[in-house]
Structure formats: C-alpha cells, structure tokens
Amino acid sequence: MLGWTITFFIIALIAGVLGFGGIAGAAAGIAQILFIVFLVLFALSLVASAISGRRPPVP
C-alpha cells in the first residue's frame, strides 16, 4: 500500500511540473488518503501484536 502512495505522489509531482493542476491535485489527494490508510493499518497491527503478545519469527 505504501508503494501505491509513492506512485501517486510521483504522478502528482510530474503532473504539477507539467502544469496539469487538476490531475496533480487528484493524484496528491489519492496519495494522502492512501498514506493515512497505511498509517491506520500499521497502528492497528502494532496494537494487535502488542495485545496478542506474539513476537514475529526470527529469520
């Protein structure tokens, strides 16, 4: 999911440089939403692992 955020961020940067304001704004908005979703899922996974008490496997 973080990969999608970075992809939309790069699209927004390129579109902004080329002068496509609407496309840049839309891509930046999508990147922000995906980043927030990523952070929420990350926080939930941290809380769930803290509650369950399980440790990740050691490679």
Side-chain angles (χ1 to χ4, degrees):
M1 178 131 357
L2 187 58
W4 282 103
T5 303
I6 293 170
T7 302
F8 278 107
F9 178 69
I10 291 172
I11 291 171
L13 286 177
I14 292 171
V17 168
L18 295 176
F20 300 113
I23 296 172
I30 293 170
Q32 286 177 341
I33 291 169
L34 289 174
F35 186 70
I36 290 170
V37 168
F38 170 74
L39 286 179
V40 168
L41 291 175
F42 178 70
L44 288 175
S45 102
L46 285 178
V47 169
S49 67
I51 290 173
S52 69
R54 286 194 279 167
R55 299 278 180 199
V58 178

